[in-house]
Amino acid sequence: MERFIPGPDTQRQYRDTLGAYATGVTVVTVASPEGPVGMTANSFASVSLEPPLVLWSPARSSSRFAAMTGAERFAIHVLGAGEMDLALRFARSGRAFDGVAMEPCPNGPPLLGEGWIARLLCQRVAVHDGGDHAIVIGRVEEAARREGPPLIFAGGAYGDFSPAG
């Protein structure tokens, strides 16, 4: 066991410690004045069942930060196993929509047409300070679900998880 105090000199150790917690992988999409923007994020969680609230946390250092925190509506796409390429695509660029199947959403955020096992269409209700990230809270207006195992991120790597059963 290694103990340390999180700080600038132990940032790698802290990241590795947080990486022990496996998370799902999402692509969050918004409409911006410059066109559609997407971002891969694993900082997603349910906040409340009633009302239906979720949160996610974009990094302040991202060039997409203003678009992501400023959008009134956003969509969270929980990626399915085998969708690492889609996750990497939106991790590299927010304008990575070329060749990606899309679904229409009049007056809403861009909706990925495939690659997801759950999708939440949300109305932004709050943005809170979260240090080097913001905490964006959205009210879920519509949800969709497809069968399949999720894409997982843990220890700095992508993988999948198939529940026993």
Side-chain angles (χ1 to χ4, degrees):
M1 176 175 64
E2 176 183 17
R3 291 185 182 179
F4 61 93
I5 297 172
D9 295 338
T10 59
Q11 190 173 46
R12 180 74 258 166
Q13 291 166 282
Y14 185 54
R15 287 179 65 99
D16 290 346
T17 300
L18 294 174
Y21 181 69
T23 66
V25 182
T26 69
V27 170
V28 180
T29 57
V30 300
S32 79
E34 294 79 38
V37 179
M39 175 185 278
T40 298
N42 65 342
S43 58
F44 162 73
S46 170
V47 175
S48 170
L49 294 176
E50 187 54 47
L53 300 175
V54 296
L55 68 78
W56 78 285
S57 300
R60 291 184 185 282
S61 62
S62 172
S63 61
R64 296 167 258 182
F65 182 79
M68 293 296 179
T69 57
E72 292 291 323
R73 296 177 76 206
F74 57 92
I76 298 175
H77 304 81
V78 178
L79 299 186
E83 296 298 336
M84 184 175 72
D85 289 343
L86 190 59
L88 293 173
R89 175 183 208 146
F90 283 99
R92 286 189 294 269
S93 171
R95 307 275 184 210
F97 291 90
D98 286 346
V100 173
M102 302 298 292
E103 291 183 20
C105 184
N107 303 315
L111 300 177
L112 302 182
E114 53 192 40
W116 55 269
I117 59 170
R119 183 174 65 199
L120 305 164
L121 184 58
C122 303
Q123 175 75 38
R124 187 191 73 213
V125 295
V127 177
H128 300 285
D129 179 45
D132 59 4
H133 284 64
I135 301 164
V136 180
I137 298 178
R139 182 182 179 100
V140 178
E141 299 175 325
E142 178 183 295
R145 171 97 168 85
R146 296 177 175 160
E147 290 301 316
L151 180 63
I152 300 293
F153 187 76
Y158 292 94
D160 62 23
F161 172 76
S162 296

